[in-house]
Amino acid sequence: MVGTRFYFDVGNYATMLRLVRAEADRARRRKLLAAFLVGVPLMVTVHAICFALDPLLFPSLRRTEVREPVFSVGHARSGTTYLHRLMAQDKRFSVVLMYEMFFPSLLEKRFLRLLFLADERLFGRRLRSRIDAVEERTFADTNDMHRTGFFAAEEDDFLLTWSLGSGFWIVLFPYLGQLDFYHVDRWSERKRRRMMRFYKECVRRQLALNGGGTHLSKNPTFCGRVEALIETFPDAKFIVPVRNPYETIPSLLKMLQTSWALQGRDDRLITESLRILADQSFDSYHHPLEVLARHPEIRSCVVDYRELVGQPAATMRRVYDELNLEMAPEVAAAIDASRGQGHETTHRYSLDEFGLDPQEIHLRLADLFERFGWDDEAEEGEHTGVN
C-alpha cells in the first residue's frame, strides 16, 4: 500500500518557532518569523497535496517496491561522499539529486524534470545557467569542505526537510541541546514509525521517478537510526565507512563552525553546539556497529577510509562481494579510473582548535583504535582529507 499522508513534525515546529521568537538579532528574527509563520506552512501544504495526489496520478507507483536498499552510514568526514559517488556510477542504483530532495512528491519531481528538459531543448539551458550561478554563490564558502551542488547526488535525509525531521535544519538552527534529528532509534515507537514510513514513501517515489533500481543512500545522520532502518527495510544492506576520529571529529566541527560563523551566530551558542556534536560523535562510531552486530541476518560491511582512498577498486570489489552484489565490467573500469580523483579538501582542522582531548577520544573508542590500528597514526597537528 502506498502512503499518501505527508509527515510533519509538529513538536519540532513548535520548538523552532520558540527559538525564532527568542532570537536576539532583530533582522534575523523578522526574516525567520516570516519563513516559519508563512513560508513553511505554505510549502508544507503544497507538498502534502502533491504527495496525496501521487498514487492517483501515477498508478504505477503502487507497483513500485523498495527492495534491498543500500545504506552507507558512518561518521561524517569518513569518506561517505566518495564511496557514495563511486557506487553511483553503477546504473543499477537509484540516487536522489539535491534539488529533488526538497520536492518529495513524484508529481513535483516529474514536473521539474520536464521543466529542465524544456529549458535544455527550447531555451538553450538558460534556466540551468542561472541555477548554476546561484549554486556557485551559495556553496562558494563551503565547497572546499564538502563539494556539492543542486544537481549532485546528496544525503537523502534532506527528503525530510519540509517535514522538519532532517538534520539539514541544524545548519540553520545550531541548537543541538533542544533539537534532536539524530537519535531516532531512541524516539517513541509511534513517532519513529510515522517518520520512517514517510521516508520509505519518499524513497518509493524516487525509484518510480528513476525507473526502478536499488536505492542507494549515504547519510552520516543515519548512524543514529540504523535500528529504525532495519525495522523499515528488513532486507536492507549496510556499508559502514570508518576513519581515525582524530581526523573526522575536528573536521566535522570545523565545517559546522564555519557555516554558523558565516551566519553571524553567537560564539557561545556555537561553542555549546560543537560540544554536544563532539559528544554525539562517539555514538556515530559505536551505534551502527552495535546494531548490526545484533542483526547478523543483515548483510553489511565495514570500509577502512585508508583502503577506500588508497585502493578504491579493490575496496569496492570487496564491498560488492560482501553485500552479494555483482559488479559489472564497466563499473569496475570506472572505479579503477577513479583512483586519486576523490575530492581532496584543503581546509585545515586540529584537535587543539576545538579543545578536544586525544586521550579521552582514545579511551572512549579504545576498541576501534585497536581494531583499525589507529594508534599507529599521528594524533597531533593539522589534517586534510577526502569527504
Side-chain angles (χ1 to χ4, degrees):
M1 179 179 179
V2 178
T4 59
R5 182 176 297 181
F6 191 86
Y7 172 75
F8 184 72
D9 195 319
V10 177
N12 276 352
Y13 180 72
T15 299
M16 295 162 83
L17 190 57
R18 173 175 57 79
L19 293 170
V20 167
R21 286 172 172 163
E23 173 62 55
D25 186 304
R26 292 183 179 180
R28 182 186 288 121
R29 182 171 68 244
R30 286 196 298 269
K31 184 178 180 179
L32 289 175
L33 274 175
F36 271 80
L37 291 176
V38 180
V40 169
L42 178 61
M43 291 302 296
V44 169
T45 300
V46 171
H47 293 318
I49 292 172
C50 292
F51 208 80
L53 288 173
D54 283 342
L56 302 176
L57 297 176
F58 307 104
S60 62
L61 183 61
R62 299 181 182 276
R63 299 190 296 273
T64 302
E65 297 184 22
V66 186
R67 294 180 177 174
E68 299 186 337
V70 177
F71 296 98
S72 176
V73 292
H75 191 285
R77 322 302 292 166
S78 61
T80 54
T81 297
Y82 183 42
L83 187 148
H84 185 245
R85 290 176 183 173
L86 285 177
M87 295 189 71
Q89 297 179 90
D90 188 336
K91 299 308 178 186
R92 88 177 68 192
F93 291 117
S94 167
V95 297
V96 192
L97 304 184
M98 177 180 278
Y99 84 86
E100 294 171 336
M101 297 180 186
F102 301 106
F103 299 91
S105 160
L106 180 57
L107 172 60
E108 295 169 313
K109 294 175 191 290
R110 289 204 166 171
F111 171 77
L112 288 171
R113 285 206 177 176
L114 285 173
L115 178 65
F116 292 131
L117 181 62
D119 174 58
E120 179 179 354
R121 294 184 176 179
L122 302 177
F123 303 104
R125 293 167 60 93
R126 189 178 305 170
L127 174 61
R128 177 64 185 268
S129 297
R130 292 183 179 180
I131 294 175
D132 288 344
V134 172
E135 176 185 291
E136 182 65 28
R137 293 194 301 270
T138 301
F139 301 115
D141 293 319
T142 57
N143 249 342
D144 184 56
M145 290 177 278
H146 178 72
R147 187 172 298 279
T148 190
F150 296 130
F151 294 87
E154 259 300 340
E155 300 175 14
D156 65 347
D157 169 65
F158 294 171
L159 287 165
L160 302 170
T161 297
W162 291 109
S163 300
L164 301 190
S166 168
F168 163 81
W169 286 104
I170 284 297
V171 178
L172 300 179
F173 283 82
Y175 298 92
L176 272 76
Q178 301 182 63
L179 291 167
D180 177 22
F181 302 103
Y182 174 81
H183 296 100
V184 174
D185 284 348
R186 301 181 188 176
W187 289 5
S188 69
E189 180 180 355
R190 181 174 180 273
K191 179 179 180 179
R192 182 184 70 248
R193 290 193 171 183
R194 281 186 60 210
M195 188 182 79
M196 295 305 296
R197 278 198 299 266
F198 174 73
Y199 169 71
K200 183 175 182 178
E201 291 306 323
C202 290
V203 170
R204 187 197 305 274
R205 283 158 171 78
Q206 191 67 34
L207 287 172
L209 177 74
N210 291 338
T214 299
H215 181 64
L216 177 64
S217 163
K218 74 100 183 178
N219 291 281
T221 308
F222 281 12
C223 287
R225 64 185 74 175
V226 176
E227 193 75 62
L229 287 168
I230 294 173
E231 179 181 57
T232 308
F233 306 97
D235 58 353
K237 300 177 180 182
F238 289 85
I239 309 169
V240 185
V242 293
R243 182 184 179 189
N244 192 322
Y246 291 156
E247 298 175 350
T248 58
I249 297 177
S251 179
L252 173 62
L253 300 188
K254 183 75 170 186
M255 184 172 65
L256 284 172
Q257 180 194 55
T258 300
S259 179
W260 293 333
L262 288 170
Q263 298 173 40
R265 288 293 186 174
D266 180 76
D267 287 342
R268 288 176 297 179
L269 177 62
I270 292 177
T271 299
E272 176 61 15
S273 290
L274 291 178
R275 183 192 65 77
I276 295 172
L277 190 62
D279 189 67
Q280 181 178 293
S281 289
F282 299 108
D283 191 80
S284 293
Y285 274 93
H286 278 139
H287 189 68
L289 298 175
E290 290 171 351
V291 172
L292 291 171
R294 294 198 298 267
H295 290 277
E297 77 281 5
I298 297 295
R299 283 194 173 270
S300 64
C301 66
V302 176
V303 174
D304 189 310
Y305 170 86
R306 296 163 297 188
E307 296 175 358
L308 175 64
V309 174
Q311 299 177 308
T315 302
M316 294 312 300
R317 288 189 181 94
R318 178 177 66 81
V319 168
Y320 271 63
D321 286 344
E322 294 190 19
L323 297 185
N324 196 30
L325 297 171
E326 183 177 348
M327 182 181 290
E330 61 272 18
V331 176
I335 293 176
D336 278 334
S338 72
R339 183 170 181 176
Q341 296 179 14
H343 174 49
E344 184 76 23
T345 65
T346 57
H347 88 287
R348 298 187 177 276
Y349 45 88
S350 67
L351 297 173
D352 288 342
E353 183 178 357
F354 298 100
L356 298 171
D357 182 356
Q359 293 183 337
E360 180 188 0
I361 294 174
H362 191 289
L363 179 64
R364 297 182 66 174
L365 297 174
D367 56 331
L368 300 183
F369 269 86
E370 181 178 0
R371 177 176 175 181
F372 296 105
W374 291 328
D375 282 320
D376 298 330
E377 299 180 6
E379 64 186 43
E380 300 294 341
E382 294 182 321
H383 303 276
T384 61
V386 176
N387 291 332

